[in-house]
Amino acid sequence: MKVMKFGGTSVGKPERMHEVAQLITKDAEPKVVVLSALSGTTNALVEISNSLSTGNREAAKQKIDTLEAHYRTFITELVKQEGSRAKANAIITEHFEFLNIILRISFSEALYKDILAQGELMSTKLFSVYLEEQGIDHMLLPALEFMSIDASEEPQLGTIKAKLGQLLKQYHDKKLFITQGYICRNAKGEVDNLKRGGSDYTASLVAAAINASVCEIWTDIDGMHNNDPRIVDKTVAIKQLSFDEAAELAYFGAKILHPTCIWPAQQENVPVKLLNTMQPDASGTVITKEAGSTGVKAVAAKDGITAIKIKSSRMLLAYGFLRKVFEVFEKYQTSIDMITTSEVAVSVTIDSDAALPKIVKELEPFGSVEVQKDQTIVSIVGNEISETDDVLHKLFDAVREVPVTMVSYGGSPHNISMLVPSAHKTKTLQLLNKGLFGL
Ligand code: ASP
Ligand code: MG
């Protein structure tokens, strides 16, 4: 059995949905197909919620109506038969009635999650109507019946495995299952989600839970690229990556994949393929246990980073200093990305400023604290790069003109990270493209 996941743009137009139907019926292997909401929908639902939470019902109503109109038009192209249109219209009516009822009740966090879930619920139901019209036998699997997170918002693979396994057994005569990405139930049994972009995570969890032959992530780009195509002119798709390399890249900024979505597939050793709906025959990027080749594979950048430097002469020959520093970050649930130390100072980076003033205040008794905002982590990712000839030389040669603030090397054999002021990001990525890839 395999998993195929289609993102918002892959289902965002009626003709795209038609193409998805073709892609999922190309071969006879049984599948679970995971769909995102139509592109733009989740953003619209967030905006509707924001208007509601600030008590602006009128604005919310307007946004609901605009979104509804979009869906009504969408289905006229999606399905042609009268019966299918009636079914599709009934689905839209049901979900927009729900949104309109919400206008009249008081807003809460649980309600917010309910609103956000409407996108995936509609995309899968409408797709199902289309498949039915085409006479394609399938089964709609409600993600809310098997996808769950615990009290610390972590998906529980064991539970998902058991529940999904049971559902699939119940419908063992079916070969094609359609389910919602992103949405789940939380520890309280309420509707919740796996955070923005979480459909990839759903796909990886489902793939791990059913021990799929492959987890295919279909988007609108032909795989993971060696550099950011929005910034650098010439980039190429990477043929093969290891799970570790892919996780580093996703975390450090390659937007194509949700950063936490690698671990379930990795845990069950299910290969992940990144494929392009617009060029279905392109080979894309394959992510497996093996890296395929050694050396530098890609460069990725993560913005919005703050560097904090703690300098103390008391650190000299002292033990326990780092523990005290890290405890402050732990206390404020702020994760650290990069660390460098010298004998009298330690620098760390964080990607959330939410608790910054409190953190700085608690660090001050340890020594002088310096904060640098608007930094970017530029990560060089590959396989055994520390053992690759000449990498450091090429790297530092390439960034000669960049005021690098921090360098982290040796923490993992797959990564070298540099911190640069965000204003120098574009130039850094361009210089590295030339220096490391000759592009
Ligand atoms: N629809 C959700 C979002 O836009 C989940 C996803 O697309 O992966 O964040
Ligand atoms: Mg999306």
Side-chain angles (χ1 to χ4, degrees), residues 323-392:
R323 179 176 55 79
K324 286 184 207 139
V325 167
F326 290 150
E327 269 170 1
V328 175
F329 291 89
E330 189 184 347
K331 182 171 168 192
Y332 293 103
Q333 297 180 342
T334 301
S335 73
I336 293 171
D337 283 331
M338 275 177 80
I339 310 168
T340 60
T341 62
S342 79
E343 193 45 44
V344 293
V346 52
S347 294
V348 302
T349 70
I350 55 174
D351 65 1
S352 159
D353 278 358
L356 184 64
K358 288 186 194 144
I359 289 173
V360 170
K361 198 154 174 248
E362 289 209 24
L363 288 174
E364 268 163 356
F366 302 144
S368 75
V369 180
E370 231 176 84
V371 173
Q372 283 175 302
K373 290 198 178 193
D374 301 319
Q375 304 286 307
T376 294
I377 295 178
V378 176
S379 266
I380 291 91
V381 174
N383 182 30
E384 294 177 13
I385 33 182
S386 46
E387 275 150 47
T388 311
D389 270 359
D390 237 21
V391 169
L392 286 183

Side-chain angles (χ1 to χ4, degrees), residues 66 173 186 209 299 344 360 367 384:
T66 311
D173 51 330
N186 61 25
V299 171
V344 293
V360 170
E384 294 177 13

Side-chain angles (χ1 to χ4, degrees), residues 5 36-37 42 120 182 196-200:
K5 178 255 163 177
S36 290
T42 310
E120 272 71 12
Y182 179 59
R196 292 306 306 272
S199 296
D200 291 347

Side-chain angles (χ1 to χ4, degrees), residues 393-415:
H393 172 210
K394 280 187 191 157
L395 173 64
F396 287 116
D397 202 36
V399 298
R400 258 189 327 237
E401 301 153 38
V402 181
V404 176
T405 357
M406 270 169 81
V407 178
S408 176
Y409 171 72
S412 117
H414 315 295
N415 177 304

Side-chain angles (χ1 to χ4, degrees), residues 35 59 80 176 183 191 430:
L35 299 187
K80 296 289 175 211
L176 181 60
I183 62 172
V191 173
Q430 286 164 348

Side-chain angles (χ1 to χ4, degrees), residues 13 59 69 71 84 94 96-97 123 128 144 159 165 174 196 204 227 240 247 270 285 317 319 329 366 377 388 391 424:
K13 296 224 167 79
Y71 275 83
S84 319
E94 176 200 334
F96 282 90
E97 257 173 19
S123 66
S128 170
L144 297 177
T159 319
K174 297 280 177 195
R196 292 306 306 272
S204 176
N227 206 329
Q240 194 176 352
V270 178
T285 300
L317 301 174
Y319 50 83
F329 291 89
F366 302 144
I377 295 178
T388 311
V391 169
H424 292 266

